[in-house]
Amino acid sequence: MTATPLLEVHGLTRRFGGLVAVDNLDLSVQAGEIVGLLGPNGSGKTTALNLISGALKPDKGSIALRGGAIAGLAPHKIARLGVARTFQLVRVLGSMTVHENVLAGLAFGTRNDWGSRAEASAVGLLERVGLGGRGAVMTPELTYIDQKRLELARALALRPELLLLDEWLAGLNPTELLQGIELVRSLRSEGIAVLMVEHVMDAIRSLCDRCVVMNAGKRIALGTPAEVLSDPEVVRAYLGD
Ligand code: ADP
């Protein structure tokens, strides 16, 4: 008998006018698993994440978290049920310090120790993502990797069971990439599941337990990184017909 998946998506479909951006998509994420969502540009990956996080409503299909239906719920409700995603914070919350940014994230969640322990939680979160001692820095002054770390701290403030990452590892230099990979891996060891849209193949190979590959809205492959990356249909999709 298999356990109920943490996330189970079935028949998910979303159109934009005549375009079917996500077309009858099935995918699942088990508790504590890292699943890669791959595919060429325009294949529907970000739309799929937007549907799961509630930023967009599906036209058809089901999304279940621990067996409970979440499709079509408001984003803050889905977040409070344990699904967090990273956002580009520097754009949104640039006039705050790093510490204030994380406190704001803690205030949003009801799944955390809000109250007298918020300060300690913020400090702990910053240490966890490698920003210990940088709490007083203004957000726009952070280096790119530290901005990424802050995005993650904000998402972790919700104490998610499932974290959605949209190209979180993009644009890092090789040293930072290794640090970023280690950070994502450490989340899995704490029991957090991750669904990550990613193009960095080294990260996919070293992190993902399984990958789902999309093309033109449809799932074209499912398997381990080695299996999907050697699948002729996947290779064709990436090279273009
Ligand atoms: P990916 O993340 O794989 O690059 P997207 O999910 O961003 O793909 O986009 C899938 C398709 O849906 C693309 O053809 C894109 O142009 C289209 N699309 C995405 N969002 C919108 C939108 N808000 N309105 C119209 N078309 C959209």
Side-chain angles (χ1 to χ4, degrees), residues 16 19 21-22 39-48 56 166-167 197 199:
F16 295 110
L19 175 84
V22 173
N41 282 335
S43 56
K45 306 177 299 291
T46 300
T47 302
L56 285 173
D166 196 352
E167 297 194 50
V197 170
H199 289 297

Side-chain angles (χ1 to χ4, degrees), residues 78-150:
I78 293 174
R80 285 179 178 162
L81 289 169
V83 181
R85 72 182 292 180
T86 51
F87 286 99
Q88 296 279 320
L89 297 171
V90 170
R91 194 162 37 89
V92 187
L93 296 167
S95 61
M96 285 189 188
T97 67
V98 167
H99 184 77
E100 286 163 347
N101 233 307
V102 176
L103 279 180
L106 284 164
F108 177 75
T110 54
R111 296 170 57 82
N112 56 53
D113 308 321
W114 180 244
S116 60
R117 285 181 292 175
E119 289 283 335
S121 295
V123 170
L125 279 169
L126 290 176
E127 272 169 16
R128 188 167 161 203
V129 300
L131 284 176
R134 315 223 57 206
V137 175
M138 294 300 287
T139 306
E141 289 160 23
L142 289 176
T143 62
Y144 185 65
I145 174 111
D146 284 350
Q147 292 173 19
K148 297 279 185 174
R149 292 181 198 276
L150 178 58

Side-chain angles (χ1 to χ4, degrees), residues 178-190:
L178 289 177
Q179 294 170 353
I181 288 173
E182 276 320 306
L183 195 45
V184 175
R185 190 173 284 133
S186 74
L187 301 178
R188 175 172 53 193
S189 68
E190 294 169 27

